[in-house]
Amino acid sequence: MRLEKLYGAPYGGDLNRDGDTNDAVAVLWDQAAGTVRVDRNMNQDFTDDTPMKDYRSSGQVGSLGTDNPATPIRESVPFTVQVDPVAKAVNLGIVTDSHGTHVAGITAANGLYGGGSDGQAPGAKLVSVQVCVIGGGCTAHALVEGMIYAVETAKVDVVNMSIGGLPALNDGNNVRAEIYNRLIRDDGVQIIISAGNSGSGLNTVGDPSVATDVVSVAAGISKATWKANYGADVTANQAIFNFSSRGPREDGGLKPTVSAPGSAISTIPTWEPGAPVAEAGYSLPPGYAMFNGTSMASPQTAGATALLIGAARQDNILATPPFLRAALTGSAVFNKDYGPQDQGFGRNDVPAAYELLKKVGGKKSAGLDSFSTSAEVCTPLSDFLATPGRGVGIYNRCAAGAGGQSVGETRTYPVQVNRTSGGSSSYDVRWLGNDGTFSAPRSVTLSNGRAVTVPVVASVSSVGVHSAILVLDDPRTPQVDVAVLNTVVSAPPLSAPSFGTTSTSSVERNRDAHLFVTVPTGAPFLRVQLGGTDAGSQVRFIANTPYGVPVESTSSLNCYTNRPVGASCDPNSRTYAAP
């Protein structure tokens, strides 16, 4: 059997890192003995290759190529063997890129930098499921079958997936999302997924982290990390990265769920040189790099969840997915400088989460009651929802005159809440992240099988986004019982005769500001011009469609005023056709 040449990054056909680009590896499988020989030195001779068995039972690691001990980089490439006798297949486990290694280190690395540091859960055992091929992207088939394998065959306790995309209709109503929900509900394994890097526009949270029972993680950063990892001085002690994808879900759903640190120095393959950010002012040894993204925040939360599960087993506490989500969300630290559409319930607090888990999942726990919610949704895509114009939370992004809410207008939105298990209880009503826009009755009684309408009043006093979580809390239970995200956007029209508007504002270093406008129907183009920036300042704008898709790259390196104007991007003026 012959392993195909690997031409994609990072190999470029040089699988053993010896400089030539025509490498191919032969593999010989002895099915009777259950052993595999890999032509590691590519000499077309198996007699000098040690037989290997499936890594899960043997723990054997081989290497392609030869390391030069005189260099700091390890030239050889490690691999493992996976044997599937049912499918009659042999798989060589070879790292496809640095991203997965970096995520793995954040989750569960043990003894980084010679023992000076650890990942979030250094005692956890990692199972790697490769769903992205070298140079070929990540297939939907692999993202489904890989997740099923991890949960039902590998029998993991928690799953991290730092992968995602951004469809226009990100309502979580698709086959893959439903499969993920069923894996969580039926197999009892919590899935944690990065929220995406398409922010900071609204409704940019990615799929599949929009699946209802998935914990979707936004990327946060501290003042100290800004300084250590980027050499940047900022004022806020905690912030959400500008690139971190925002909610709500298209149906008004509460996404992201929580936030976690989205910048980390962690592991990369040992044949790659160290990669810090130049402005940080220090070097890193081979095998370490600084990456940022919600891809880094998700494994922080997955590692935190692994810690909760491990501690719960020691203390004989139930740690089912609903209990874990209740513990993570109910203990999170909400950042008042941001809305819930930016951060969900807030930043992870692992010790507090475990204290709450002990109360929620105690020995006498009978499980959590279940609820369903229904509210008005008015967006350019709301007719395509499972129930047109209805979702799980209030989301009004329509233009004024087309169902939207104007500045100075007060409107009542009926939110229907249905208790679908348990008996009857009285719930205190409170708000999280409310800027004064929303109000509701102070309490509500919910009984199993009887839908209750909670009138939510929204009084919009300013242009922009107003978002808050409506919390229904039974004082007799330790967790949050019902949480409904409510989001209303108000934007001024571009009216005749100028069909334009000017906005003057300032934005702090490494922060963002939002400008909403209602473009007249049929307008052939929208022109945005940026002026008045200080010389040398690093500012940019990103345009988003009303259905939450950025029109241009949200890369942290793209189109700033202090960078040379490229052929594809003018940082000061851009025109968008058929807006």
Side-chain angles (χ1 to χ4, degrees), residues 346-362:
R347 187 176 70 255
N348 288 331
D349 184 332
V350 181
Y354 189 58
E355 291 302 312
L356 182 54
L357 181 62
K358 287 192 290 186
K359 298 175 183 177
V360 175

PDB file of all heavy atoms in Angstrom, residues 346-362:
ATOM      1  N   GLY A 346     -20.768  35.497  29.577  1.00  0.00           N
ATOM      2  CA  GLY A 346     -19.551  36.091  30.081  1.00  0.00           C
ATOM      3  C   GLY A 346     -18.391  35.119  30.122  1.00  0.00           C
ATOM      4  O   GLY A 346     -18.433  34.023  29.553  1.00  0.00           O
ATOM      5  N   ARG A 347     -17.336  35.523  30.813  1.00  0.00           N
ATOM      6  CA  ARG A 347     -16.061  34.803  30.840  1.00  0.00           C
ATOM      7  C   ARG A 347     -16.105  33.612  31.789  1.00  0.00           C
ATOM      8  O   ARG A 347     -16.639  33.697  32.889  1.00  0.00           O
ATOM      9  CB  ARG A 347     -14.947  35.774  31.262  1.00  0.00           C
ATOM     10  CG  ARG A 347     -13.537  35.235  31.171  1.00  0.00           C
ATOM     11  CD  ARG A 347     -12.521  36.318  31.525  1.00  0.00           C
ATOM     12  NE  ARG A 347     -12.538  36.668  32.943  1.00  0.00           N
ATOM     13  CZ  ARG A 347     -13.059  37.765  33.444  1.00  0.00           C
ATOM     14  NH1 ARG A 347     -13.653  38.656  32.671  1.00  0.00           N
ATOM     15  NH2 ARG A 347     -13.014  38.009  34.741  1.00  0.00           N
ATOM     16  N   ASN A 348     -15.513  32.505  31.360  1.00  0.00           N
ATOM     17  CA  ASN A 348     -15.452  31.306  32.196  1.00  0.00           C
ATOM     18  C   ASN A 348     -14.791  31.573  33.535  1.00  0.00           C
ATOM     19  O   ASN A 348     -13.794  32.301  33.622  1.00  0.00           O
ATOM     20  CB  ASN A 348     -14.654  30.195  31.490  1.00  0.00           C
ATOM     21  CG  ASN A 348     -15.392  29.592  30.322  1.00  0.00           C
ATOM     22  OD1 ASN A 348     -16.609  29.560  30.311  1.00  0.00           O
ATOM     23  ND2 ASN A 348     -14.661  29.117  29.328  1.00  0.00           N
ATOM     24  N   ASP A 349     -15.321  30.977  34.581  1.00  0.00           N
ATOM     25  CA  ASP A 349     -14.726  30.999  35.918  1.00  0.00           C
ATOM     26  C   ASP A 349     -14.785  29.565  36.430  1.00  0.00           C
ATOM     27  O   ASP A 349     -15.817  29.116  36.933  1.00  0.00           O
ATOM     28  CB  ASP A 349     -15.499  31.947  36.828  1.00  0.00           C
ATOM     29  CG  ASP A 349     -14.869  32.102  38.211  1.00  0.00           C
ATOM     30  OD1 ASP A 349     -14.190  31.156  38.672  1.00  0.00           O
ATOM     31  OD2 ASP A 349     -15.068  33.159  38.844  1.00  0.00           O
ATOM     32  N   VAL A 350     -13.690  28.822  36.284  1.00  0.00           N
ATOM     33  CA  VAL A 350     -13.719  27.383  36.554  1.00  0.00           C
ATOM     34  C   VAL A 350     -14.009  27.061  38.020  1.00  0.00           C
ATOM     35  O   VAL A 350     -14.871  26.213  38.299  1.00  0.00           O
ATOM     36  CB  VAL A 350     -12.403  26.717  36.095  1.00  0.00           C
ATOM     37  CG1 VAL A 350     -12.448  25.216  36.360  1.00  0.00           C
ATOM     38  CG2 VAL A 350     -12.177  26.966  34.609  1.00  0.00           C
ATOM     39  N   PRO A 351     -13.343  27.683  38.990  1.00  0.00           N
ATOM     40  CA  PRO A 351     -13.684  27.357  40.385  1.00  0.00           C
ATOM     41  C   PRO A 351     -15.151  27.642  40.711  1.00  0.00           C
ATOM     42  O   PRO A 351     -15.810  26.833  41.381  1.00  0.00           O
ATOM     43  CB  PRO A 351     -12.736  28.248  41.201  1.00  0.00           C
ATOM     44  CG  PRO A 351     -11.587  28.510  40.286  1.00  0.00           C
ATOM     45  CD  PRO A 351     -12.186  28.604  38.919  1.00  0.00           C
ATOM     46  N   ALA A 352     -15.662  28.778  40.252  1.00  0.00           N
ATOM     47  CA  ALA A 352     -17.066  29.099  40.508  1.00  0.00           C
ATOM     48  C   ALA A 352     -17.988  28.119  39.794  1.00  0.00           C
ATOM     49  O   ALA A 352     -19.049  27.749  40.314  1.00  0.00           O
ATOM     50  CB  ALA A 352     -17.362  30.528  40.065  1.00  0.00           C
ATOM     51  N   ALA A 353     -17.589  27.692  38.593  1.00  0.00           N
ATOM     52  CA  ALA A 353     -18.402  26.727  37.856  1.00  0.00           C
ATOM     53  C   ALA A 353     -18.497  25.411  38.619  1.00  0.00           C
ATOM     54  O   ALA A 353     -19.557  24.773  38.647  1.00  0.00           O
ATOM     55  CB  ALA A 353     -17.810  26.496  36.468  1.00  0.00           C
ATOM     56  N   TYR A 354     -17.404  25.009  39.253  1.00  0.00           N
ATOM     57  CA  TYR A 354     -17.467  23.744  39.979  1.00  0.00           C
ATOM     58  C   TYR A 354     -18.317  23.866  41.245  1.00  0.00           C
ATOM     59  O   TYR A 354     -19.052  22.939  41.604  1.00  0.00           O
ATOM     60  CB  TYR A 354     -16.073  23.228  40.337  1.00  0.00           C
ATOM     61  CG  TYR A 354     -16.135  21.819  40.886  1.00  0.00           C
ATOM     62  CD1 TYR A 354     -16.692  20.799  40.132  1.00  0.00           C
ATOM     63  CD2 TYR A 354     -15.694  21.521  42.172  1.00  0.00           C
ATOM     64  CE1 TYR A 354     -16.790  19.508  40.628  1.00  0.00           C
ATOM     65  CE2 TYR A 354     -15.792  20.236  42.671  1.00  0.00           C
ATOM     66  CZ  TYR A 354     -16.346  19.241  41.895  1.00  0.00           C
ATOM     67  OH  TYR A 354     -16.461  17.969  42.392  1.00  0.00           O
ATOM     68  N   GLU A 355     -18.235  24.995  41.899  1.00  0.00           N
ATOM     69  CA  GLU A 355     -19.090  25.192  43.068  1.00  0.00           C
ATOM     70  C   GLU A 355     -20.565  25.120  42.674  1.00  0.00           C
ATOM     71  O   GLU A 355     -21.388  24.549  43.400  1.00  0.00           O
ATOM     72  CB  GLU A 355     -18.775  26.539  43.729  1.00  0.00           C
ATOM     73  CG  GLU A 355     -17.410  26.588  44.406  1.00  0.00           C
ATOM     74  CD  GLU A 355     -17.255  25.509  45.465  1.00  0.00           C
ATOM     75  OE1 GLU A 355     -18.173  25.345  46.304  1.00  0.00           O
ATOM     76  OE2 GLU A 355     -16.219  24.804  45.437  1.00  0.00           O
ATOM     77  N   LEU A 356     -20.899  25.687  41.524  1.00  0.00           N
ATOM     78  CA  LEU A 356     -22.279  25.624  41.054  1.00  0.00           C
ATOM     79  C   LEU A 356     -22.636  24.210  40.602  1.00  0.00           C
ATOM     80  O   LEU A 356     -23.753  23.733  40.862  1.00  0.00           O
ATOM     81  CB  LEU A 356     -22.481  26.619  39.913  1.00  0.00           C
ATOM     82  CG  LEU A 356     -23.892  26.711  39.325  1.00  0.00           C
ATOM     83  CD1 LEU A 356     -24.937  26.972  40.407  1.00  0.00           C
ATOM     84  CD2 LEU A 356     -23.947  27.812  38.257  1.00  0.00           C
ATOM     85  N   LEU A 357     -21.694  23.529  39.948  1.00  0.00           N
ATOM     86  CA  LEU A 357     -21.960  22.154  39.511  1.00  0.00           C
ATOM     87  C   LEU A 357     -22.259  21.242  40.695  1.00  0.00           C
ATOM     88  O   LEU A 357     -23.119  20.352  40.599  1.00  0.00           O
ATOM     89  CB  LEU A 357     -20.764  21.620  38.715  1.00  0.00           C
ATOM     90  CG  LEU A 357     -20.888  20.194  38.170  1.00  0.00           C
ATOM     91  CD1 LEU A 357     -22.052  20.088  37.188  1.00  0.00           C
ATOM     92  CD2 LEU A 357     -19.588  19.756  37.500  1.00  0.00           C
ATOM     93  N   LYS A 358     -21.580  21.454  41.800  1.00  0.00           N
ATOM     94  CA  LYS A 358     -21.838  20.632  42.992  1.00  0.00           C
ATOM     95  C   LYS A 358     -23.268  20.816  43.495  1.00  0.00           C
ATOM     96  O   LYS A 358     -23.876  19.884  44.011  1.00  0.00           O
ATOM     97  CB  LYS A 358     -20.838  20.984  44.098  1.00  0.00           C
ATOM     98  CG  LYS A 358     -19.428  20.474  43.828  1.00  0.00           C
ATOM     99  CD  LYS A 358     -18.524  20.578  45.046  1.00  0.00           C
ATOM    100  CE  LYS A 358     -18.187  21.996  45.390  1.00  0.00           C
ATOM    101  NZ  LYS A 358     -17.187  22.099  46.482  1.00  0.00           N
ATOM    102  N   LYS A 359     -23.805  22.009  43.323  1.00  0.00           N
ATOM    103  CA  LYS A 359     -25.187  22.265  43.747  1.00  0.00           C
ATOM    104  C   LYS A 359     -26.189  21.720  42.717  1.00  0.00           C
ATOM    105  O   LYS A 359     -27.202  21.136  43.077  1.00  0.00           O
ATOM    106  CB  LYS A 359     -25.397  23.768  43.939  1.00  0.00           C
ATOM    107  CG  LYS A 359     -24.524  24.382  45.013  1.00  0.00           C
ATOM    108  CD  LYS A 359     -24.705  25.896  45.053  1.00  0.00           C
ATOM    109  CE  LYS A 359     -23.785  26.535  46.085  1.00  0.00           C
ATOM    110  NZ  LYS A 359     -23.905  28.015  46.094  1.00  0.00           N
ATOM    111  N   VAL A 360     -25.862  21.922  41.439  1.00  0.00           N
ATOM    112  CA  VAL A 360     -26.782  21.496  40.386  1.00  0.00           C
ATOM    113  C   VAL A 360     -26.794  19.978  40.244  1.00  0.00           C
ATOM    114  O   VAL A 360     -27.852  19.352  40.107  1.00  0.00           O
ATOM    115  CB  VAL A 360     -26.388  22.156  39.044  1.00  0.00           C
ATOM    116  CG1 VAL A 360     -27.254  21.620  37.909  1.00  0.00           C
ATOM    117  CG2 VAL A 360     -26.506  23.671  39.131  1.00  0.00           C
ATOM    118  N   GLY A 361     -25.604  19.371  40.270  1.00  0.00           N
ATOM    119  CA  GLY A 361     -25.489  17.933  40.030  1.00  0.00           C
ATOM    120  C   GLY A 361     -25.272  17.109  41.274  1.00  0.00           C
ATOM    121  O   GLY A 361     -24.656  16.040  41.207  1.00  0.00           O
ATOM    122  N   GLY A 362     -25.732  17.588  42.412  1.00  0.00           N
ATOM    123  CA  GLY A 362     -25.558  16.861  43.671  1.00  0.00           C
ATOM    124  C   GLY A 362     -26.236  15.508  43.668  1.00  0.00           C
ATOM    125  O   GLY A 362     -27.009  15.163  42.766  1.00  0.00           O
TER     126      GLY A 362
END
